[in-house]
Amino acid sequence: MAFDVFEGEKIDARLALEEACARVDEAAADEARLASMQRIAERSAELDAVEARYPGRATIAEALADAGISWAYLGLSEEDGVLAEEVRRGFGK
């Protein structure tokens, strides 16, 4: 009987630990997304200028490619670029 109680407590503790780890992972992802958004915001003038210089491109990546500029040149990662595309599409740019 006592072993059943300990086993149940062990399972409860494991579930609580898994939930805590999931919350930590989610917080880390949110923090990374916020940092990415800040980098994108810092480069928005450059991104706007490239888009204006190369109108009609379906994506910012296409405009950057036509300009011979990489995400890295702007201090952005490929992941930042994906997020920038999502954000700008959401704002109708």
Side-chain angles (χ1 to χ4, degrees):
M1 185 75 169
F3 291 113
D4 292 339
V5 172
F6 289 132
E7 190 63 31
E9 289 176 356
K10 187 170 127 180
I11 291 170
D12 290 344
R14 187 176 26 234
L15 291 173
L17 180 60
E18 289 173 3
E19 288 176 20
C21 289
R23 285 193 300 272
V24 167
D25 290 345
E26 186 177 320
D30 289 345
E31 188 174 321
R33 184 175 174 89
L34 178 59
S36 183
M37 294 290 287
Q38 288 177 309
R39 287 190 298 274
I40 293 165
E42 290 168 358
R43 297 292 183 230
S44 64
E46 290 94 336
L47 294 171
D48 289 343
V50 170
E51 282 185 311
R53 187 167 177 206
Y54 296 92
R57 303 310 188 273
T59 65
I60 302 169
E62 289 178 8
L64 289 173
D66 288 347
I69 298 173
S70 67
W71 292 112
Y73 179 80
L74 295 175
L76 301 172
S77 67
E78 291 292 326
E79 292 81 13
D80 293 340
V82 170
L83 182 57
E85 296 281 1
E86 291 173 6
V87 169
R88 287 176 171 250
R89 227 175 311 156
F91 289 122
K93 281 197 167 187

